[in-house]
Amino acid sequence: MTEIQNHVFENGAQLADTLANYVTEAINAGIAERGRASLVLSGGSTPARLFQQLATRPIAWADVTVTLTDERWVDETSEDSNAAMLRRELLTGEAAAAKFISLKTEHATPGEGETACAERLAALPVPYDLVVLGMGTDGHTASLFPGDANLGPALDPDTAQPCIAANPPGAAQARMTLTLPSLLSCRRLVLLISGAEKRAVLEKALEDGPVEDMPVRALLRQDAVPVDVFWAP
Ligand code: 6PG
């Protein structure tokens, strides 16, 4: 079982401030030790809350490389695109100086784009300094969804694939997701959860039960990387 550090806050502002300090420290440690830092962010709405606070922190963004934990296979002008969200909401101001590696190529499907995305990711040395993941109410994380035919290969601890196509049942779009070994190739991993309804989901994820039912369990049960869980209503 991994070492899980729980950071529980009464409100999102407290979470965002503490998390911004945590992320700033991780980034600056990476830059101090290796000249550059690598930051891997999830999509969804929570990272934007984080970056609002990061704008006030002393970070040498030109020395930071950012990529995504997963991407919807849509045009990057689509509002569903995580790359578009990142560019629109997070990599603005001083953070616009960061280098961004997208998980989208010109291929028609994520399956056809796996090799190209893997080649793009190869430009970012591992272990990543920090991976920030969210969690859905179904226990998904990144685009590791219950019921996805590719979930098994994506969770395979021995896969050499850094990313794999995902087809979440019922989801509007096919996706590309980093595989579990790729997500765990990091020095620090944050599970960032917001919403009162997700507290119960987190408690359930911490219980026994198949990983396939709640893929976030794969993060909570591994012992390669300590996980910091940040939760606020
Ligand atoms: C995505 C994300 C996804 C997200 C969770 C939580 O592309 O949607 O990677 O895994 O992290 O759905 O989303 P919220 O942060 O909006 O709760």
Side-chain angles (χ1 to χ4, degrees):
M1 174 69 94
T2 190
E3 172 196 336
I4 299 175
Q5 174 74 23
N6 275 318
H7 306 265
V8 178
F9 295 91
E10 291 179 12
N11 63 62
Q14 287 177 336
L15 177 150
D17 184 53
T18 301
L19 184 60
N21 292 336
Y22 180 105
V23 171
T24 302
E25 198 278 325
I27 290 173
N28 287 341
I31 294 171
E33 291 164 24
R34 288 168 296 280
R36 285 197 70 80
S38 48
L39 177 60
V40 188
L41 293 173
S42 69
S45 61
T46 305
R49 293 169 61 178
L50 160 64
F51 263 66
Q52 286 165 9
Q53 294 273 349
L54 278 184
T56 65
R57 285 352 189 240
I59 295 172
W61 286 103
D63 297 331
V64 180
T65 303
V66 179
T67 191
L68 285 160
T69 61
D70 59 320
E71 178 58 283
R72 296 83 179 275
W73 210 255
V74 295
D75 189 280
E76 288 197 2
T77 60
S78 161
E79 65 176 17
D80 288 332
S81 161
N82 285 337
M85 178 274 292
L86 212 64
R87 292 191 175 106
R88 182 178 66 246
E89 299 180 32
L90 309 186
L91 300 181
T92 60
E94 292 186 18
K99 177 183 177 186
F100 172 54
I101 296 176
S102 79
L103 284 183
K104 180 90 170 68
T105 69
E106 65 286 349
H107 293 79
T109 68
E112 294 169 41
E114 282 175 358
T115 301
C117 285
E119 289 168 355
R120 291 162 76 91
L121 284 170
L124 191 55
V126 291
Y128 308 123
D129 288 293
L130 176 61
V131 171
V132 180
L133 284 162
M135 182 191 73
T137 51
D138 60 356
H140 82 259
T141 190
S143 283
L144 305 171
F145 282 82
D148 183 339
N150 266 356
L151 183 62
L155 292 177
D156 179 356
D158 300 320
T159 183
Q161 274 187 260
C163 55
I164 193 168
N167 291 285
Q173 314 97 6
R175 297 168 174 227
M176 182 68 74
T177 185
L178 266 61
T179 56
L180 181 65
S182 187
L183 291 170
L184 295 179
S185 298
C186 61
R187 295 180 174 87
R188 300 187 197 209
L189 192 148
V190 164
L191 185 55
L192 179 54
I193 301 171
S194 58
E197 77 284 1
K198 288 189 181 176
R199 179 76 195 201
V201 179
L202 176 60
E203 299 296 345
K204 187 177 179 194
L206 288 164
E207 294 171 0
D208 293 339
V211 167
E212 294 72 20
D213 292 357
M214 299 185 82
V216 72
R217 284 174 170 157
L219 304 180
L220 300 171
R221 293 181 182 173
Q222 52 79 34
D223 55 11
V225 179
V227 174
D228 278 277
V229 179
F230 286 76
W231 177 84

